[in-house]
Every structure is written in structure tokens, then in C-alpha cells.
């Protein structure tokens, strides 16, 4: 990373350093067919189509096939690929059976991740699995086991882990200049129906165009319900609410920056359903406090006010690191190099004056009222149009090609997902949720 051409002055003081994008996905010359990674995709809804579009700039990768249970999404997949006429079907087994396909992306709702990932690993495919990796702790354990047993590359899709902004944050964290950090706060607040998953139902959606029974998978059988199909994040049988949708990004970002690749030790949640009383089974305001060995993490998501938006604050003795939207800011914190000026005002004037005289004699270089800040405020941003999703996919495809480790493997994804399941376990039981590492399960109470 270096100071880019777009460096600009904002306000009077803070200069923004535009981070140099990595070029993991670019190639100086055409990639020979023997090095081309061929992939298929399972689930081409909102995220699947986004991933396909984000894959287009990556040299040496070709999408060859797409599977989705809703016919219109097979059309959407081809459109996302710029009109490429890939093989499409409702049945993802057809992708897994193809010998010319190296890898698959799994972008189904959470309740299908386990089965699709395990079957892909068994079929010898490397897997990019969307976040949250698991729908339950048991699912995650089975997925980690299958990936490792079949020696597959697996990336979990929390793309911030590949972001140049979060890499800069990690560099600052690793430098130690924050000093001791005991608190990390993060939020992802929204104030739109779309942000609260109230997605419109397409007019052609029906039992004819959607394979509803297959979509239900291992979830309880029920009659066709378009609301559940399109707004599945609201229901426990398929998703994990705010924790699974948004906390997982916050936890993954925090785990990446701090290098803390483990489930939280304890979680305590509260919140409520205030706005979207539409039959959903999850709260629309969720707070969780987490214990980690060296610091506390406090997370919040709400659907009522988005003043804060997406936010991370790492609060250290010597500085604060803030990520808000696409800006990263390091603010050094002034060490208090002045005589005590609170309790001494309960002293007689004579004693106080003697204290001050003595203090300034022992600190000859400090003048009254002078605070020495160590270092300057630094602000960083990615260049316009930067896509962390393209970087994340490129990292995965490079690992498929080179067999070098991915940046966010199945263990990382499993640990972050456990944090989400702990949040929900505490919210619904109204008790602390503890991660029992030896029993590999969440205990509440
Ligand atoms: N990384 C991110 O920023 C991000 C953003 C949004 C969603 N996601 C994740 O991506 C996943 C998908 O979310 P979405 O919003 O795209 O959901 P979606 O409902 O829009 O799309 C999911 C698609 O999967 C298909 N599907 C389900 N089971 C299938 C099966 N067995 N075979 C073939 N197709 C199947 C459905 O028909 C549907 O079209 C979720 O895990 C979600 O958490 C990640």
C-alpha cells in the first residue's frame, strides 16, 4: 500500500490516504486454459448474482454452471455473467458430477449450507461458502470435518476479511500503537424495509416456478409460502436473524483485525422486536456483549435508525481505531502529562500551589495546559469502485489454483458463526451463553 494519486485534503487537518488496491485478480497476460479455474454456483439469488458479477474482473476463472430452485434466478445468473450461456438447472448434483468443475460457490440460505458444502467436498470440489457458514454449531462441526477429511480449500464469504481497509486496520492493530485495547464496539444499523429484509415478491413466483419442497430441505414441511422463500432471514428454520446476517460480518472483521480466531467465551444479549411486527421470529434490535480473553466486544444492530451505519471502534490506551462505512481513522489519544487538577481543588491553596510548583519542577519540559499527542491522526479509504468481494473471491480462486491457504478458512468461518449462534442463544433464553470448548457446544444458564 502506498499513498495513491487520489490523496486528498479533507477539512483542515485530516489527509485521506487512498489505499492501493491489490491486484490479486488481475493478470498481466492471458491465463492459459490449463490454469483456468472452472466453477459452478449453487444458489443464484441476491448474493449469488452479486458474486457472479464480482467474479467477472478476475482473470483465469470461468463460471460453467449454475443451479437454483427458482427458475427466474437461473435467468438472473446468466444475466449476471453478462449473458454467458452457462448450463443451468434446479439440481446442483449436476454441477457436482461434472469432472471439469474445480470449485463451487454455495450461496443458498443458511439451512442448505451444510448439505451443499459436505456434498461438494465429497465430490472433490473446493468450496466458497457464504456467511454465516453454519445454521447451527452442529452443522459447522460437520462441515469443518468434511472439508478437512476431503482436503478441500474452503473460503467463507465474509468479504471484509479480504478488504484493503481491514488489512490496514490489522496493520495498525499489529503495530501496537493503539496500546492496550479493552473494548471493541461495532454496529450495523439500518433504517429501510430492504435493510430489514422486507423484499418484494416477484410476480412470477409460484409453486410452478419454484421447487418449494426441495428448498425446505431438512426444515419442517409446510405449504408453499413465498414470504418464507424470499424473506427467509426472518425465520429460525432457515436463517439466524440479525446475528447471522450482520453480526457475522462484524465478528469476522474483529477476528481478522485482532487475530483472535476463536469463538467468544461468553455472550450476553438483549434487544426486542419494535418495528417489524410482520410475523418474523427474530428481534429487529439486538445487542450482544461478548467476553474474549483480552477484551470485551459490544455489538448492536437495529432497523430503526441508521445514523451510525456500519461502524467499528477499537478503543486503546494510546489511540482509537474507527472504521465507519469505507473510511478508517486512527486517532492518537493524548497521554495525560499534566499535574492532577481535580482532587487538589479540595486542598488548601497553599498545599495546592506547592504541589503544582513541585510537579512543574519535576517536569521541566511541560508547560501548563500543554498536552503532547504522540503521532498524528491518520485517515484511509479504498479507491472509488473498490470491491472487497472481488478480492475475497480472487483470494479463494488463487488458493484453488496454488493450494496455498485461503484468508478465511472453514475454522475461521465456524468460529465467527458460533459467535452468532451464542448471541441468539442468549437472546432467546435471556441467559448468558457460554462456549464450552471441550464439549464443543453452547451452554446457557
Ligand atoms: N457476504 C455477504 O455480504 C452476503 C450478502 C447477502 C447474503 N449473503 C449470504 O448468501 C446466502 C444467500 O443469501 P441471498 O440473499 O442470496 O438469498 P436468496 O434467497 O436471495 O437466494 C438464495 C437462492 O438459493 C436457492 N437455493 C436454495 N436451496 C437450494 C438448493 N438446494 N439448490 C439450488 N438452489 C437453492 C434459492 O432458490 C434462492 O434463489 C445466505 O447465506 C446469506 O447469508 C451474504
Amino acid at each position: 500500500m502506498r499513498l495513491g494519486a487520489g490523496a486528498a485534503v479533507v477539512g483542515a487537518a485530516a489527509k485521506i490516504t487512498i489505499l492501493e488496491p491489490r491486484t490479486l485478480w488481475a493478470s498481466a497476460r492471458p491465463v492459459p486454459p490449463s490454469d483456468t479455474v472452472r466453477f459452478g454456483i449453487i444458489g443464484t439469488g441476491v448474493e449469488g448474482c452479486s458474486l457472479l458479477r464480482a467474479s467477472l474482473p478476475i482473470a483465469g476463472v470461468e463460471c460453467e454452471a449454475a443451479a437454483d430452485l427458482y427458475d427466474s434466478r437461473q435467468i438472473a445468473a446468466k444475466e449476471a455473467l453478462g449473458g454467458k450461456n452457462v448450463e443451468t438447472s434446479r439440481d446442483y448434483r449436476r454441477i457436482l458430477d461434472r469432472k471439469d468443475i474445480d470449485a463451487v460457490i454455495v450461496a443458498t440460505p443458511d439451512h442448505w449450507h451444510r448439505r451443499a458444502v459436505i456434498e461438494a467436498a465429497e465430490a472433490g470440489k473446493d468450496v466458497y461458502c457464504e456467511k454465516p457458514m453454519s445454521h447451527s454449531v452442529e452443522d459447522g462441526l460437520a462441515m469443518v470435518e468434511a472439508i478437512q477429511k476431503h482436503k478441500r480449500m474452503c473460503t467463507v464469504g465474509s468479504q471484509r476479511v479480504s478488504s484493503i481497509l481491514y488489512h490496514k486496520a490489522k496493520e495498525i492493530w499489529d503495530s501496537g500503537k493503539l496500546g492496550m485495547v479493552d473494548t471493541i464496539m461495532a454496529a450495523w444499523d439500518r433504517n429501510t424495509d430492504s435493510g430489514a429484509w422486507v423484499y418484494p415478491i416477484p410476480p412470477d413466483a409460484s409453486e410452478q416456478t419454484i421447487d418449494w419442497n426441495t428448498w425446505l430441505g431438512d426444515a419442517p414441511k409446510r405449504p408453499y409460502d413465498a414470504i418464507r422463500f424470499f424473506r427467509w432471514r426472518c425465520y429460525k428454520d432457515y436463517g439466524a436473524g440479525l446475528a447471522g446476517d450482520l453480526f457475522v460480518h462484524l465478528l469476522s472483521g474483529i477476528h481478522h483485525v485482532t487475530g483472535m480466531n476463536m469463538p467468544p467465551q461468553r455472550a450476553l444479549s438483549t434487544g426486542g422486536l419494535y418495528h417489524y411486527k410482520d410475523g418474523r421470529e427474530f428481534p429487529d434490535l439486538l445487542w450482544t456483549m461478548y467476553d474474549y480473553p483480552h477484551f470485551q466486544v459490544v455489538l448492536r444492530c437495529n432497523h430503526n435508525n441508521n445514523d451510525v451505519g456500519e461502524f467499528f471502534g477499537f478503543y486503546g490506551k494510546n489511540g482509537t481505531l474507527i472504521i465507519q462505512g469505507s473510511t478508517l481513522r486512527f486517532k492518537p489519544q493524548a497521554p495525560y502529562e499534566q499535574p492532577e487538577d481535580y482532587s487538589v481543588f479540595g486542598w488548601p491553596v497553599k498545599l495546592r500551589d506547592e504541589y503544582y510548583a513541585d510537579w512543574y519542577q519535576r517536569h521541566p519540559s511541560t508547560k501548563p495546559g500543554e498536552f503532547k499527542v504522540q503521532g498524528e491522526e491518520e485517515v484511509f479509504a479504498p479507491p472509488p469502485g473498490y470491491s472487497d468481494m472481488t478480492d475475497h473471491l480472487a483470494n479463494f480462486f488463487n488458493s484453488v489454483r496454488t493450494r496455498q491457504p485461503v484468508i478465511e478458512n472453514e475454522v475461521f468461518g465456524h468460529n465467527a458463526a458460533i459467535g452468532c449462534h451464542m448471541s441468539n442463544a442468549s437472546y432467546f433464553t435471556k441467559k448468558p451463553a457460554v462456549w464450552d470448548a471441550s464439549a464443543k457446544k453452547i451452554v446457557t444458564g
Side-chain angles (χ1 to χ4, degrees):
M1 291 172 191
R2 61 179 169 76
L3 189 65
V9 173
V10 168
K15 187 177 75 179
I16 297 187
T17 300
I18 303 296
L19 297 168
E20 187 76 5
R22 283 164 302 161
T23 50
L24 266 178
W25 39 270
S27 173
R29 57 187 77 83
V31 179
S34 55
D35 268 1
T36 298
V37 174
R38 293 173 216 288
F39 72 97
I41 182 163
I42 303 171
T44 57
V46 182
E47 182 64 3
C49 286
S50 265
L51 288 162
L52 291 178
R53 281 188 289 271
S55 75
L56 292 177
I58 306 174
V61 304
E62 286 292 339
C63 181
E64 301 288 352
D68 199 289
L69 300 173
Y70 169 27
D71 299 339
S72 290
R73 285 189 161 156
Q74 296 172 22
I75 300 170
K78 289 183 182 172
E79 289 174 359
L81 288 165
K84 185 176 175 190
N85 194 22
V86 293
E87 180 196 345
T88 53
S89 78
R90 287 183 172 186
D91 181 4
Y92 71 71
R93 288 287 343 164
R94 288 173 62 168
I95 300 179
L96 301 188
D97 288 344
R98 275 179 62 165
K99 296 283 171 273
D100 61 329
I101 288 186
D102 309 296
V104 292
I105 294 175
V106 174
T108 62
D110 310 351
H111 70 297
W112 258 100
H113 288 183
R114 174 184 183 154
R115 210 195 295 178
V117 166
I118 292 178
E119 288 183 16
E122 286 168 353
K125 311 299 181 202
D126 296 321
V127 192
Y128 181 109
C129 175
E130 262 309 334
K131 54 53 38 178
M133 183 174 113
S134 65
H135 190 219
S136 67
V137 172
E138 297 71 34
D139 281 8
L141 289 167
M143 292 160 82
V144 169
E145 192 183 317
I147 292 289
Q148 295 182 348
K149 177 176 166 199
H150 296 285
K151 299 187 170 47
R152 294 296 94 207
M153 288 291 164
C154 175
T155 287
V156 178
S158 309
Q159 62 272 19
R160 279 154 192 76
V161 172
S162 285
S163 158
I164 52 175
L165 202 64
Y166 288 71
H167 280 232
K168 189 70 193 174
K170 179 164 182 54
E171 194 181 299
I172 293 172
W173 174 280
D174 289 346
S175 76
K177 66 186 183 182
L178 285 171
M180 194 192 78
V181 175
D182 62 7
T183 303
I184 300 172
M185 292 201 291
W188 197 332
D189 292 341
R190 293 173 166 178
N191 190 3
T192 62
D193 288 351
S194 176
W197 321 312
V198 187
Y199 303 141
I201 311 298
D204 72 341
S206 73
E207 274 190 280
Q208 281 65 54
T209 56
I210 292 172
D211 180 350
W212 169 252
N213 278 326
T214 302
W215 186 86
L216 283 175
D218 297 327
K221 297 292 168 220
R222 54 173 67 240
Y224 171 71
D225 184 340
I227 299 283
R228 282 179 174 256
F229 183 87
F230 290 98
R231 302 177 189 167
W232 55 264
R233 287 166 173 79
C234 301
Y235 303 96
K236 291 181 184 175
D237 287 339
Y238 329 112
L242 285 170
D245 202 38
L246 302 180
F247 275 16
V248 69
H249 283 299
L250 303 177
L251 287 176
S252 299
I254 291 166
H255 287 187
H256 173 63
V257 170
T258 62
M260 189 60 65
N261 186 6
M262 63 182 290
Q265 294 164 306
R266 192 170 66 122
L268 192 60
S269 302
T270 187
L273 185 59
Y274 289 93
H275 192 91
Y276 287 96
K277 299 185 185 201
D278 53 6
R280 68 183 57 199
E281 297 168 348
F282 288 103
D284 55 14
L285 170 65
L286 182 63
W287 295 84
T288 301
M289 289 191 286
Y290 291 104
D291 289 346
Y292 284 82
H294 306 297
F295 48 72
Q296 303 266 315
V297 170
V298 183
L299 303 188
R300 182 193 69 215
C301 287
N302 89 80
H303 284 323
N304 194 55
N305 178 292
N306 73 350
D307 192 50
V308 167
E310 189 182 346
F311 173 93
F312 292 76
F314 301 80
Y315 298 93
K317 184 79 178 155
N318 300 334
T320 309
L321 193 63
I322 301 286
I323 304 175
Q324 191 155 24
S326 56
T327 304
L328 167 66
R329 190 177 297 269
F330 170 71
K331 294 192 280 186
Q333 181 123 142
Y336 194 72
E337 286 188 358
Q338 287 291 319
E340 207 277 344
D341 65 351
Y342 176 67
S343 69
V344 291
F345 281 85
W347 294 9
V349 172
K350 180 172 175 296
L351 291 185
R352 185 164 68 237
D353 286 349
E354 284 170 7
Y355 164 76
Y356 278 126
D358 174 62
W359 196 94
Y360 284 113
Q361 199 176 16
R362 286 187 291 108
H363 300 83
S365 63
T366 305
K367 296 180 182 53
E370 181 188 71
F371 290 92
K372 289 178 188 153
V373 178
Q374 286 165 356
E376 287 179 5
E377 181 164 336
E378 299 169 61
V379 187
F380 302 90
Y386 171 71
S387 165
D388 52 10
M389 197 185 272
T390 298
D391 267 354
H392 205 47
L393 281 166
N395 176 273
F396 170 66
F397 289 128
N398 279 341
S399 296
V400 171
R401 190 181 289 116
T402 63
R403 313 316 286 171
Q404 293 301 307
V406 298
I407 194 155
E408 188 189 357
N409 70 9
E410 65 283 359
V411 174
F412 186 108
H414 179 48
N415 288 341
I418 290 170
C420 304
H421 303 317
M422 289 170 69
S423 165
N424 280 332
S426 173
Y427 177 81
F428 286 109
T429 60
K430 298 190 191 304
K431 292 176 180 163
V434 174
W435 175 243
D436 182 337
S438 51
K440 296 185 181 166
K441 64 178 192 184
I442 297 170
V443 181
T444 51

